[in-house]
Amino acid sequence: MEAKERQIDKTTINNEPGTLAKPASDQPWMEYVQPVMDTLAKVPDYIGEFFADNKKPLITIGLIVAGLVTVKVTLAVLDAIDDIPLLAPILELVGLGYTAWFVYRYLLKEENRKELILEFEALKTQVFGDGPNS
């Protein structure tokens, strides 16, 4: 058997990173493919411009979607916890115990109520600032 001669494909090789080798333009279908390739090469620029022009609305939409996902996940976790036998009543007992401790610690005596009011005022000052202009 004689070895068949290989035909050399007429392509131009571009060694630049991120670019594809382009077939020779003497093929008839290239006039249809070239505009598509040019448009697809510009897609990252179009996407970058879109994100640059609409940054704030996209962030707002992203935060809303993240909030909805967080609410759904939280509800699913709470539903799963509720399905565990005896866990819900135990958590209710813990809540009642903490409420009883809080009443005993801060609400029964006058000096403890004053301490609670001072702690609340300090927290309010820390969050909102000292005065109306702060």
Side-chain angles (χ1 to χ4, degrees), residues 80-95:
I81 289 174
D82 193 34
D83 289 342
I84 298 174
L86 293 177
L87 188 60
I90 290 172
L91 291 177
E92 287 179 13
L93 286 175
V94 169

Side-chain angles (χ1 to χ4, degrees), residues 5-92:
E5 292 183 24
R6 294 186 181 180
Q7 292 181 348
I8 298 175
D9 188 18
K10 295 182 179 179
T11 58
T12 58
I13 298 175
N14 191 350
N15 290 332
E16 295 178 29
T19 59
L20 298 173
K22 297 180 181 178
S25 60
D26 61 347
Q27 297 172 354
W29 52 271
M30 277 306 294
E31 66 183 80
Y32 303 111
V33 173
Q34 192 60 40
V36 173
M37 289 176 58
D38 292 340
T39 304
L40 289 176
K42 294 178 185 175
V43 167
D45 295 332
Y46 293 148
I47 292 173
E49 289 177 18
F50 176 78
F51 280 113
D53 293 341
N54 301 306
K55 189 175 188 178
K56 287 187 180 184
L58 290 173
I59 289 174
T60 303
I61 290 170
L63 288 175
I64 290 170
V65 169
L68 291 174
V69 168
T70 302
V71 167
K72 282 198 90 71
V73 168
T74 303
L75 290 175
V77 168
L78 290 176
D79 190 41
I81 289 174
D82 193 34
D83 289 342
I84 298 174
L86 293 177
L87 188 60
I90 290 172
L91 291 177
E92 287 179 13

Side-chain angles (χ1 to χ4, degrees), residues 92-104 106:
E92 287 179 13
L93 286 175
V94 169
L96 286 173
Y98 182 76
T99 302
W101 171 83
F102 184 83
V103 168
Y104 175 76
Y106 288 110

Side-chain angles (χ1 to χ4, degrees), residues 99-117:
T99 302
W101 171 83
F102 184 83
V103 168
Y104 175 76
R105 170 69 176 91
Y106 288 110
L107 302 179
L108 287 181
K109 298 179 183 175
E110 181 181 357
E111 61 269 4
N112 293 346
R113 286 190 297 265
K114 288 180 182 178
E115 179 185 345
L116 177 64
I117 290 172

